[in-house]
Amino acid sequence: MEEFVQSSGEHGVVVFTLGSMVTNMKEERANVIASALAQIPQKVLWRFDGNKPDTLGLNTRLYKWIPQNDLLGHPKTRAFITHGGANGIYEAIYHGVPMVGIPLFADQPDNIAHMKARGAAVQLDFDTMSSTDLANALKTVINDPLYKENVMKLSRIQHDQLVKPLDRAVFWIEFVMRHKGAKHLRPAAHDLTWFQYHSLDVIGFLLACVATVIFIIMKCCLFCFWNFAGKGKKGKSD
């Protein structure tokens, strides 16, 4: 994989991880995507688990798994085709890689819409996009410097922290070691019994209260019913 990336020359590479989310991608969709990837001068690393598309170009390599974060951090990576998962979005922003978003479900359309609004991504529809649409989207984010500038702005914001995340993680690990497990930070929930933890005692008390109220109401209704029924019988007998 490293040799393939290094041999990309000045054109660079494109990282594509959509296929990992669509394990049963239709042959027609796979061929549309492969045809589009074959039209760009960059080399493409595609995470794809399925039959090799008939239209796959010589510039595209298929892998069942790829080190996504490492590839996005590679200086030759020019674009990222993503389904819009939160982790992938954060990694692309961190490394300053413009995106072509093809959201599928859940929070992905919203994530890609945010990136599109900030000028860091182009959004496509998986079911309706053509090879031309995907190829043009890739050429846009790669060749238009505004996309790179916009995603780098987001990257600088993400990197601008008081303490680096790694240093913060190291501090808290050492903090726990210095204080012998940091028992004072241990959640009190660990000291509860299982029925207290699940609030079964509270639920039981509330159910008992509700049952008592219902019982009292039913008794009052029955008392009133029998009282009025008794008066009715006396009136008829008179």
Side-chain angles (χ1 to χ4, degrees):
M1 186 182 297
E2 180 64 24
E3 292 180 359
F4 183 70
V5 173
Q6 292 297 343
S7 65
S8 61
E10 63 179 8
H11 293 298
V13 298
V14 172
V15 179
F16 185 12
T17 62
L18 177 67
S20 63
M21 294 296 297
V22 189
T23 55
N24 57 345
M25 185 186 295
K26 293 181 180 179
E27 184 178 344
E28 178 268 334
R29 286 286 88 191
N31 281 320
V32 166
I33 293 172
S35 177
L37 299 178
Q39 298 177 38
I40 62 175
Q42 287 76 24
K43 292 195 173 183
V44 183
L45 294 99
W46 183 2
R47 183 178 177 183
F48 182 76
D49 188 6
N51 296 325
K52 182 179 178 180
D54 297 330
T55 58
L56 193 71
L58 296 176
N59 67 328
T60 305
R61 291 279 184 89
L62 302 180
Y63 298 93
K64 290 186 177 181
W65 179 86
I66 58 176
Q68 178 176 290
N69 187 51
D70 293 336
L71 287 171
L72 290 175
H74 197 283
K76 288 194 174 185
T77 300
R78 303 291 300 280
F80 179 39
I81 307 174
T82 175
H83 53 270
N87 286 341
I89 293 290
Y90 286 133
E91 289 171 357
I93 291 174
Y94 183 87
H95 296 294
V97 180
M99 292 159 271
V100 173
I102 310 177
L104 301 174
F105 58 88
D107 64 330
Q108 297 166 8
D110 191 51
N111 293 339
I112 296 298
H114 282 299
M115 293 298 97
K116 180 181 177 182
R118 286 163 175 77
V122 172
Q123 183 172 352
L124 296 175
D125 185 271
F126 177 76
D127 296 316
T128 61
M129 69 178 182
S130 64
S131 294
T132 303
D133 294 333
L134 180 54
N136 289 338
L138 281 168
K139 292 174 183 177
T140 298
V141 299
I142 292 172
N143 298 324
D144 189 343
L146 283 176
Y147 286 91
K148 182 66 175 181
E149 292 173 8
N150 290 331
V151 76
M152 286 305 298
K153 289 179 183 177
L154 297 176
S155 181
R156 285 191 291 272
I157 292 172
Q158 191 182 62
H159 280 79
D160 192 5
Q161 301 184 39
L162 180 62
V163 180
K164 292 182 179 180
L166 180 60
D167 293 337
R168 189 161 60 245
V170 170
F171 166 78
W172 283 111
I173 292 172
E174 293 177 345
F175 178 91
V176 173
M177 294 172 63
R178 285 196 301 271
H179 296 280
K180 300 179 180 180
K183 294 182 180 180
H184 63 284
L185 295 179
R186 187 172 182 268
H190 289 292
D191 299 323
L192 299 175
T193 59
W194 65 271
F195 60 87
Q196 288 177 322
Y197 180 80
H198 294 286
S199 298
L200 296 182
D201 52 341
V202 177
I203 293 173
F205 174 75
L206 294 176
L207 288 176
C209 291
V210 172
T212 302
V213 171
I214 293 174
F215 177 78
I216 293 173
I217 292 174
M218 289 181 63
K219 282 295 184 181
C220 291
C221 291
L222 288 173
F223 175 79
C224 294
F225 174 77
W226 289 116
N227 191 24
F228 285 118
K231 289 183 178 179
K233 288 180 180 179
K234 288 182 180 180
K236 287 182 180 179
S237 61
D238 292 340

